[in-house]
Amino acid sequence: MAKGKLAKFADMASYENVFEYPYSVMQNVPFAMKGHWHEQYFKNSNPIVLELGCGKGEYTVGLARKYTDRNFIGVDIKGARMWTGATQAVEEKLENVAFLRTNIELIDRFFTPGEVSEIWITFADPQMKKVTKRLTSTMFLERYRKILKENGLVHLKTDSNFLFTYTEYMAEHNGLNVLFKTRNLYNSPEATADNDFATLAASIQTYYESQWIDRGIDIKYMVFELPQEGALTESEKEIPLDEYRSYHRDKRSTKDTSK
C-alpha cells in the first residue's frame, strides 16, 4: 500500500539526509550547519550542487549516482514529494546526497558565500503573472549570488517557452555569460553535437519531462555564469505566454496542448 503524507513525513523526520527548515522554523532557529556542509555532513571538500524545486528529487539522485565526486542537495518545500528521492538515497546509501525542505526564498540562510558551485532549476512553475516568484528573477538571482562561488553556474531546464525566453532576456539585459542554450535539447544541431552541457542535461529525464515530450513540447535548456558583482535589473521586454495550461504537476498527464 502506498504511504500517505503523514507516514512520509514521519519517515523523513528519521532520515539523516533530510533537513527540514520551513519559514516558520527559520524565524526562530538559525541553521547551525550554514558554512559547514562539507565538514559536518558530506565529510569531503567536493563541490556542492543544488537542485531548486527538486520535487521528487529525480535530478538530485540521478546526478549523484553519475557524479560521485560532487555533492548534491535537493531543495523544495513539498515534503511528500521529496520523500521519494530521500528514500531512494537512503536505500542506495548515496552519501553525496542531502535534501533541504524549505522555502527557496530563504536559500541564502543555509549557505555562506562561495559554498555552492552550481544551481539547477528543473521544470519550475513559470509564474507568468508574478515576476518576483520566477526562479530566475532578479530577486532570486540576488539570493543565488550570495551563496555561489564567483561565476558559479545556473542551469535552467524547462518545458516553458515563457520562462526560457524570460531567462534569455534576463541574461542578455544583465550581461550574463551564457555558456550554452538550446530550445530543443533532444533534437537540435547545437544540442546533439558533442557538448558536455547538453550531454549532462539530457542524461536524466524526469517523469514529468517525459510527459511533456509525449505531448510534443520541446525541452529547453541553458546554463549561464552568475558573477557576484554588478547590478541586476529586470528586462522590460514583452514575452508571449505559454499556450498550454500550467497545471499543477501532479495533474499534467494529458497530451492535449490546445487548452
Side-chain angles (χ1 to χ4, degrees), residues 94-109:
L94 297 175
E95 297 181 354
N96 61 332
V97 175
F99 286 89
L100 176 61
R101 191 174 79 83
T102 193
N103 305 80
I104 298 175
E105 293 87 344
L106 305 178
I107 196 64
D108 54 321
R109 301 191 188 187

Side-chain angles (χ1 to χ4, degrees), residues 178-192:
V178 177
L179 301 177
F180 179 83
K181 68 177 180 178
T182 177
R183 286 184 172 272
N184 191 341
L185 180 61
Y186 297 104
N187 188 24
S188 64
E190 70 272 12
T192 53

Side-chain angles (χ1 to χ4, degrees), residues 4 20 69 83 91 102 114 119 134-135 142 153 253:
E20 299 189 77
D69 59 344
W83 173 87
E91 292 175 347
T102 193
I119 288 174
R134 296 172 199 158
L135 292 188
E142 289 286 7
L153 302 184
S253 58

Side-chain angles (χ1 to χ4, degrees), residues 93-227:
K93 297 181 172 57
L94 297 175
E95 297 181 354
N96 61 332
V97 175
F99 286 89
L100 176 61
R101 191 174 79 83
T102 193
N103 305 80
I104 298 175
E105 293 87 344
L106 305 178
I107 196 64
D108 54 321
R109 301 191 188 187
F110 295 90
F111 304 92
T112 51
E115 195 170 9
V116 175
S117 294
E118 301 181 37
I119 288 174
W120 279 81
I121 301 168
T122 52
F123 300 95
D125 189 322
Q127 298 290 349
M128 292 183 283
K129 293 184 178 180
K130 194 165 185 180
V131 173
T132 56
K133 287 183 173 290
R134 296 172 199 158
L135 292 188
T136 54
S137 68
T138 300
M139 189 188 81
F140 281 100
L141 292 180
E142 289 286 7
R143 283 165 169 75
Y144 305 159
R145 74 195 321 191
K146 291 180 180 179
I147 63 176
L148 279 169
K149 68 179 185 179
E150 176 61 20
N151 291 323
L153 302 184
V154 178
H155 302 258
L156 172 68
K157 191 176 183 185
T158 180
D159 58 280
S160 169
N161 181 69
F162 178 90
L163 182 59
F164 187 82
T165 303
Y166 168 78
T167 307
E168 278 189 312
Y169 287 160
M170 284 293 292
E172 178 184 0
H173 180 70
N174 291 287
L176 304 180
N177 184 26
V178 177
L179 301 177
F180 179 83
K181 68 177 180 178
T182 177
R183 286 184 172 272
N184 191 341
L185 180 61
Y186 297 104
N187 188 24
S188 64
E190 70 272 12
T192 53
D194 187 16
N195 182 280
D196 290 342
F197 286 121
T199 300
L200 172 62
S203 66
I204 297 172
Q205 192 175 111
T206 69
Y207 170 75
Y208 291 112
E209 181 178 355
S210 66
Q211 287 192 337
W212 293 132
I213 294 171
D214 287 345
R215 292 172 64 180
I217 297 173
D218 295 335
I219 304 302
K220 296 86 175 165
Y221 167 73
M222 68 184 298
V223 54
F224 58 90
E225 294 178 330
L226 186 60

Side-chain angles (χ1 to χ4, degrees), residues 25-38:
V25 174
M26 284 302 291
Q27 285 182 303
N28 304 308
V29 183
F31 189 65
M33 204 161 61
K34 178 178 179 178
H36 303 286
W37 283 91
H38 284 112

